[in-house]
Amino acid sequence: MSKTDTDTRLQVDLRQTPGGVVGYDALPDHRIKLHTGGPVAGACRLHSFLYTRGDLDILPAGISDVWHEEAPSTSVVVRMPPSLLSRTADEMGLPPERAVLDQRHQFRDARIEHVAWALDAERRAGFPNGRLYTDSLGTALAVQLLAGQEAAAGTASAQGLTRPQLRRVTEYIEAHLDGDLSLAALAGVAGLSASHLKTQFKRSIGLPVHEYVVHRRVDRARGLLLRSEMPASLVALESGFSHQSHMARCMRRVLGVTPGEVRRAG
């Protein structure tokens, strides 16, 4: 771990997974994941994939994710406090609302990759170059993330929800995941009609809103099964499912495994 100022320090870790269900819990930091091992096939809720060396993922602060991989996998994960991204955006003359990251999977960016490899080399050497070097790499990474964010966004905002709208809706979903969510309530949060929300949400996320909620409930249930001794019937209710069988059906469809298999994997 680097030792920069408390609110802007980076953390660089090696993560090795044995294959099977791979999960990332929500954290207060942004995470940039660099695949460093050999090719690994897998699948998530949207599509099948083949990770190759140099592939990147971005998991924004507060976002969790889960997918399945068919073999052991090795990645470097860089944790970046949002304060570092905000400070860098301010220094670049960008408005505060631009200091956000969108979730992205399996993309290539030579500049981001270059900084991530440099951070990994520094980690493997035990951070011999001190604070200034790691601070410089962190700032360089933040600059490239902000630049890549703008390039990736392109005209996306005209095709779906705006970033603030999407953030409000997804935060509302997370806060009320164990309740009886309604399309009307979500539309009110976004400031749209229900029909417009359905269309714009799918354009932004790639899933219908109801399917997105199912995936988020499955992910919460997975976390509870792994981290607690809570009975599966209570896990189902805490995650917003109507009963244990409902949770099992959805988990098998989304993850390809049963609740029992998830718990045994922990």
Side-chain angles (χ1 to χ4, degrees):
M1 182 188 298
S2 66
K3 301 295 184 181
T4 63
D5 292 342
T6 303
D7 62 341
T8 58
R9 68 183 185 273
L10 292 181
Q11 180 172 320
V12 187
D13 297 302
L14 185 71
R15 180 168 185 185
Q16 296 175 305
T17 53
V21 177
V22 177
Y24 282 80
D25 292 331
L27 293 176
D29 294 335
H30 302 307
R31 281 168 289 183
I32 300 87
K33 173 180 169 290
L34 173 70
H35 185 77
T36 59
V40 175
C44 65
R45 60 180 179 263
L46 298 179
H47 57 79
S48 299
F49 57 79
L50 178 67
Y51 271 124
T52 58
R53 183 177 171 87
D55 283 348
L56 293 158
D57 295 299
I58 294 176
L59 279 76
I63 295 296
S64 60
D65 208 346
V66 64
W67 60 86
H68 185 274
E69 293 179 355
E70 296 180 2
S73 178
T74 303
S75 300
V76 168
V77 180
V78 180
R79 287 180 54 173
M80 173 183 289
S83 54
L84 175 56
L85 197 70
S86 297
R87 188 191 71 186
T88 305
D90 181 63
E91 292 170 351
M92 293 171 65
L94 298 174
E97 62 268 18
R98 299 274 284 279
V100 295
L101 294 178
D102 292 330
Q103 189 170 5
R104 300 177 65 189
H105 287 292
Q106 202 182 8
F107 72 98
R108 302 303 291 253
D109 186 303
R111 295 166 299 182
I112 294 175
E113 182 183 345
H114 176 76
V115 179
W117 283 121
L119 283 165
D120 183 47
E122 185 72 356
R123 175 196 65 81
R124 286 186 281 108
F127 296 97
N129 294 303
R131 296 182 177 185
L132 183 59
Y133 181 68
T134 308
D135 284 355
S136 299
L137 288 176
T139 299
L141 181 59
V143 168
Q144 298 305 330
L145 287 168
L146 289 166
Q149 182 86 338
E150 293 304 308
T155 58
S157 61
Q159 300 173 347
L161 297 172
T162 65
R163 288 176 187 166
Q165 284 177 320
L166 183 60
R167 186 163 56 250
R168 290 199 303 270
V169 171
T170 54
E171 286 176 354
Y172 184 90
I173 289 172
E174 292 298 318
H176 299 83
L177 204 55
D178 59 347
D180 187 16
L181 289 164
S182 71
L183 187 61
L186 295 176
V189 170
L192 298 171
S193 68
S195 60
H196 281 157
L197 173 68
K198 288 176 60 179
T199 301
Q200 301 296 76
F201 188 93
K202 186 173 182 180
R203 285 175 178 170
S204 297
I205 295 293
L207 287 173
V209 63
H210 67 276
E211 189 68 11
Y212 173 83
V213 170
V214 168
H215 281 84
R216 297 303 310 129
R217 285 174 169 160
V218 165
D219 191 46
R220 176 176 289 186
R222 181 194 66 83
L224 289 172
L225 288 168
L226 289 173
R227 296 191 303 268
S228 75
E229 298 298 324
M230 190 182 296
S233 57
L234 185 55
V235 168
L237 297 178
E238 289 289 326
S239 304
F241 295 105
S242 55
H243 46 70
Q244 185 174 340
S245 296
H246 183 207
M247 176 181 71
R249 287 197 304 271
C250 292
M251 188 167 285
R252 190 177 298 111
R253 175 166 62 85
V254 173
L255 299 181
V257 294
T258 66
E261 288 170 329
V262 169
R263 176 152 275 172
R264 286 192 292 272

